[in-house]
Every structure is written in structure tokens, then in C-alpha cells.
Amino acid sequence: MSTTESDGTWSDESDWEIGEAVAEAIEEVTSPPPVLAVVGRPNVGKSTLVNRILGRREAVVQDVPGVTRDRVSYDANWLGRRFIVQDTGGWEPDAKGLQQLVADQATVAMRSADAIILVVDAVVGATSADEAAARLLRKSGKPVFLAANKVDTERGEADAAALWSLGVGEPHPISAMHGRGVADLLDQVIAKLPEVSEVAGAGGGGPRRVALVGKPNVGKSSLLNRLAGDERSVVHDVAGTTVDPVDSLIELGGKTWRFVDTAGLRRKVGQASGHEFYASVRTHGAIDAAEVVMVLIDASQPLTEQDQRVLSMVIEAGRALVLVFNKWDLVDEDRRYVLGREIDLELAQVQWAPRVNISAKTGRAVQKLVPALETALTSWDTRIPTGRLNTFLKEVVAATPPPVRGGKQPRILFATQAASRPPTFVLFTTGFLEAGYRRFLERRLRETFGFEGSPIRINVRVREKRSAKR
């Protein structure tokens, strides 16, 4: 596909192997790299091991008592193989809740990862929390690697050998702090990781998967019960094993929908910081397992940082999104005005998401949720043909060229939609495109093609300068 434009914004691609670059970029973006989760109880060295795998200091390595942290994902590379490392973070629960929390961490990892490293402190030996995690992992069917950490000398390897008792295979003696044994462990991990993730953004047939998430007491359980009860439509609860949270199949609008992990979101853990961690892990797990996420917000109260944090999780995960403002029966005219201002100011990053104002308690407007879900999923699945995309971009760029940077105006040579779920575009350019210009292009894409309810990702590939010798 070769085009020329008299204004020089669109370039003849014959001087660049565009096809090869496009193929590489499409492969890179459409093939989600495999996911490796690192799990274990607090202070066994999970974050230190993550940093060692990454070859850089990214993860926080101090667990501050009472402070909870979300699960974090990092891009990693070992011997040329790309993969994602998930650090499941640390927390400070009471002894009573620890076993349950570590088990839950393992459950979410099993659901959202292709392989798992269970980190155990070889000096301390196997604890009841380690055993709880190992029991679940044995049943997962996923490759599990037991990292016996804090083995700094050959004498410590006897401590590591004792961890065979956990029943998850050979203990790999390592020192995450000093790097001892980590390369050998990674070699074995890479050998078992699939080339392409079998869980990340997996599509598949069957009912569309919906997550119902939001801060505590926003009405998630009430809404789920309303959706299930009013329609008398719970087909059945999918039989939950000890490793899988229970999903609810609910008939709505003539279709069956799978509400993921909703039972787990309603469970309680006795200890405060542990409960917060548990809720965070559950929310992450529900989002990871879903295709579309309904984020519930209490319309009667000011928007909170927790609301923003949940929305950020959804955008980062690349899921379709519907904003559901619950408790509308408690919203008077004054609150409606203030809420409108809050939405304009604080939810600017998700202006593209459909909004539905409901009351789970009274049933107000609940029937509007299905059309919103269908709109968001249609956008999420959308793919624009390459020819149409490039025609659109040429017109946009001719009217509003990219800003000059360093005395030169970058040109967009070619564009392709490399993936859907979420729609992901790759632009091949002669120079860097400012973030503001990429946001402008996203706005124009939305104006022209819709994409209501779906995040959009725009990746820029800058053409490398050729050497003078050809």
C-alpha cells in the first residue's frame, strides 16, 4: 500500500519495509505475552525476586505494617522471551486471616496467570499459610515452581530440600537478594511458559463475562440479587471447586450473562487491613476474568479516590466499561447538579463510557444495563479495515498535522488496527507523536467510529533512520 500526499504529511512507503514492520508490530501487540505470577506470604522475598527477574528495582521491597498494596504487573524479558510478571504484593494481616489471604492470592493467580512461582522462606520452613497456598496450586493444572528463598549458601540447601513436603514438586533453592539460583529457576520457568498467554484477555465462546465491581457498600450484592431475583433468572451457580470462585449465570434481556467472581466479592475476612487486601485482590481477579466491567458508584455520595482506583484498574486491564450510578433514589436536585460537576472534573478520563443511573433497591432503570453492556462489548470487539483507517487518518492529519518537534514535523506513514479487545492501533511514523496529539487522534477515532464503552490504545512505532550505505 503506497500513498503520496502533496503536503508531505503522508509519505511514500517504498523506502521502508513497512510490511515487515507491520507484521512484527501486529504480532507483538496481538499476541499477549504469557503471565507469570509470584505468590507467597508476606516477607518471604516476593518483591525482591520480582526485581531480580526484571533486572531493575521496580517493586517495593519493604512491607509496611498495616499498608496494603495492589497486585502489580511488569513487562519482563528473559533470554529474548517476553512475559508479564505479576507481583501479588504484601500486607500485614493478623495470624488468623493469613492462611485465608494467602490462599486467596493463590486462587487469583491461578485464574489470571499461565504459570506460578510460590515463594517460601527456606529458613523458616513451610508454614500453614504456605501449605494452604500449595494445596490450591496442586489442583490448578498450571505449571507451579517452588522457590525456596533465602538459601545463601550450600549449607542452606538442606533447608530447601525439606520443602518437598509441600507437594508442588522440586524446591528450587534461590537467594532473591543475591541472585543465587534465580537464573536456573527462570530457565525452567521459560521452558514451561506458553509462547502466547492462554489466559490474558482470552475470548472464547459462551456467555459474555461481566464483572460487578466498586468500593464497599456501594450496592454490588443488592444489584446482583436484583438482577437474579427480579427476573427469576439464575440459571444455576456454576459448581465452584475449591480453586474457582463461583460465577453466576443470569438471564437478562433474552441472553445469558456470566457474572464473574461475584460470590467472592461478598465474602468477609475478620481483620481490617487483610480485608482491604482481600477486596483489592478480588476486584483485580474479577476484572481480569471479565470482558466488560460494570463499575458501581454511589451517586448519593461524593466521588472518592477508591472509585478512581477501581476505574484505573479497568482501563489498565483494557476491559469494556459501563459506569453504573447506584442509589439514584437518594439523589435530589442539588446532588444531581453537584454530581454532574464531579463527573466532568473527575471522570474526564472515562467520558467514553456509557452511564446508567439506577437504584438496585427500587429497581429503577435496571433494564437499561443490558443495552449499555451490549454497546460497550460491540465497541470492544470492533475492528476497522486498514484501508478505511488510513483514509480516515490522512484526512485528519491533512486538516490538523502533528506538532513540530525538534524543528521537524513527524509524518504518519501508515496505520493498522493490530488488535481488538480492546481496539489497539499501531501508527508508523517518522518521529515521536506528542501525548496530546495521540489524545486528539483518539477523540477523532471515537467521533468517527464510536467505540462507546471501550478503551482505545494507540501505539507509535518510529521509523529508525537508515544508514547512508545501502
Side-chain angles (χ1 to χ4, degrees), residues 2-3 6 12 36 45 105 125 129 133 172 188 190 205 208 247 258 320 325 351 367 380 402 411 429-430 444:
S2 181
T3 55
S6 57
D12 189 324
L36 173 66
Q105 190 187 69
H172 298 274
Q188 298 208 30
I190 288 296
R208 303 306 294 259
D247 290 352
R258 183 184 293 273
F325 287 88
Q351 282 177 344
Q367 73 281 1
W380 197 60
R411 296 192 318 257
T429 69
T430 60
R444 294 305 307 273

Side-chain angles (χ1 to χ4, degrees), residues 291-293 295 311-323 343 347-355 372 375-377 379-380 422-423 439 442-443 445-447 450-457:
E291 297 171 283
V292 58
V293 180
V295 175
L311 286 168
S312 295
M313 286 185 202
V314 178
I315 295 167
E316 188 182 322
R319 299 300 186 257
L321 171 65
V322 174
L323 293 175
I343 289 169
L347 300 184
Q349 83 276 25
V350 288
Q351 282 177 344
W352 41 265
R355 294 201 298 265
T375 295
L377 282 166
S379 297
W380 197 60
R439 285 194 296 273
E442 179 184 336
R443 281 198 305 276
L445 278 165
R446 291 187 183 282
E447 286 167 13
F451 292 117
E452 184 184 3
S454 176
I456 290 177
R457 291 178 174 166

